[in-house]
């Protein structure tokens, strides 16, 4: 993932001639990794499998801590946004991203639990900063800086400057990956 972005789900693949059994690889690898990276499972996959090229869909979740006061537990884990955001307007705006616009977006769902807003986006692939720009755009809609109905014209124009800002990376998480092969 990009710098500052988190991964709750991540798949990597490698070839090895090691005699370590698959179920023991996480224990062996984790002793060499930094504390903020943990391998939880190793699976043998077909030779042609490629973690990047074989991925059919990805889901990212962007978290916004929407409260007048910050929360130390969310520093670099959610975007602190002190002005109230209307998640219904954000969802209305998010719906306009669903469909094929260079990439196919399968869903863009907004949900609030207390002060935490989660923006969950699933697509067949993502362009650089795509989710962060999409979230910035739905936040702009919630702020009244553009109408949700403006989004199709913005997408059709291809002019990135008409959309909202690219929000900070700390709130972004890779949360799910889909493959034909059963690897998760």
């Amino acid at each position: 993932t990009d710098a500052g972005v988190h991964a709750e789900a991540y798949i990597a693949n490698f070839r090895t001639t090691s005699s370590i059994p698959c179920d023991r690889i996480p224990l062996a690898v984790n002793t060499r990794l930094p504390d903020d990276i943990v391998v939880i499972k190793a699976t043998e996959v077909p030779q042609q499998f490629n973690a990047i090229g074989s991925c059919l869909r990805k889901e990212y979740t962007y978290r916004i801590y929407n409260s007048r006061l910050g929360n130390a537990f969310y520093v670099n884990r959610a975007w602190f946004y002190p002005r109230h955001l209307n998640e219904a307007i954000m969802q209305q705006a998010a719906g306009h991203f669903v469909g094929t616009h260079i990439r196919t977006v399968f869903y863009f769902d907004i949900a609030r639990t207390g002060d935490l807003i989660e923006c969950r986006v699933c697509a067949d692939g993502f362009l650089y900063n795509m989710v962060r720009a999409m979230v910035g755009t739905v936040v702009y809609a919630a702020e009244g800086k553009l109408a949700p109905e403006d989004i199709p014209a913005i997408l059709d124009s291809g002019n990135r400057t008409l959309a909202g800002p690219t929000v900070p990376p700390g709130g972004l998480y890779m949360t799910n990956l889909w493959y034909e092969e059963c690897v998760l």
Side-chain angles (χ1 to χ4, degrees):
T1 61
D2 296 334
V5 176
H6 313 287
E8 293 178 356
Y10 197 83
I11 303 293
N13 67 287
F14 62 92
R15 290 176 177 76
T16 182
T17 57
S18 172
S19 60
I20 299 173
C22 257
D23 65 330
R24 306 284 297 169
I25 288 176
L27 294 170
V29 171
N30 285 333
T31 63
R32 304 276 185 182
L33 293 174
D35 292 341
D36 61 346
I37 299 174
V38 178
V39 174
I40 59 170
K41 182 179 176 183
T43 305
E44 193 167 339
V45 294
Q47 190 73 13
Q48 70 275 12
F49 177 80
N50 177 287
I52 296 170
S54 300
C55 189
L56 302 173
R57 295 181 181 198
K58 296 178 183 181
E59 178 190 77
Y60 281 93
T61 301
Y62 194 89
R63 295 182 175 127
I64 303 169
Y65 187 71
N66 188 213
S67 174
R68 292 191 66 211
L69 298 174
N71 182 322
F73 292 103
Y74 286 118
V75 172
N76 297 321
R77 299 283 184 239
W79 180 31
F80 170 57
Y81 195 87
R83 290 188 305 273
H84 179 74
L85 292 170
N86 182 326
E87 66 273 13
I89 292 173
M90 292 173 70
Q91 181 61 66
Q92 186 182 358
H96 291 289
F97 285 98
V98 176
T100 301
H101 318 279
I102 301 176
R103 299 290 191 186
T104 299
V105 175
F106 300 106
Y107 57 82
F108 186 2
D109 296 331
I110 311 293
R112 178 188 284 273
T113 304
D115 291 329
L116 192 66
I117 297 174
E118 290 195 333
C119 309
R120 200 169 291 268
V121 183
C122 178
D124 61 357
F126 290 91
L127 303 172
Y128 182 66
N129 286 338
M130 181 172 154
V131 174
R132 294 168 50 206
M134 291 167 69
V135 171
T137 302
V138 301
V139 166
Y140 254 28
E143 292 176 332
K145 293 181 178 176
L146 59 86
E149 298 78 29
D150 294 338
I151 292 173
I154 292 170
L155 291 169
D156 288 343
S157 77
N159 185 349
R160 173 69 185 87
T161 63
L162 299 175
T166 300
V167 296
L172 186 59
Y173 297 75
M174 180 182 288
T175 48
N176 209 341
L177 301 163
W178 286 265
Y179 294 90
E180 280 187 30
E181 298 89 0
C182 184
V183 295
L184 286 178

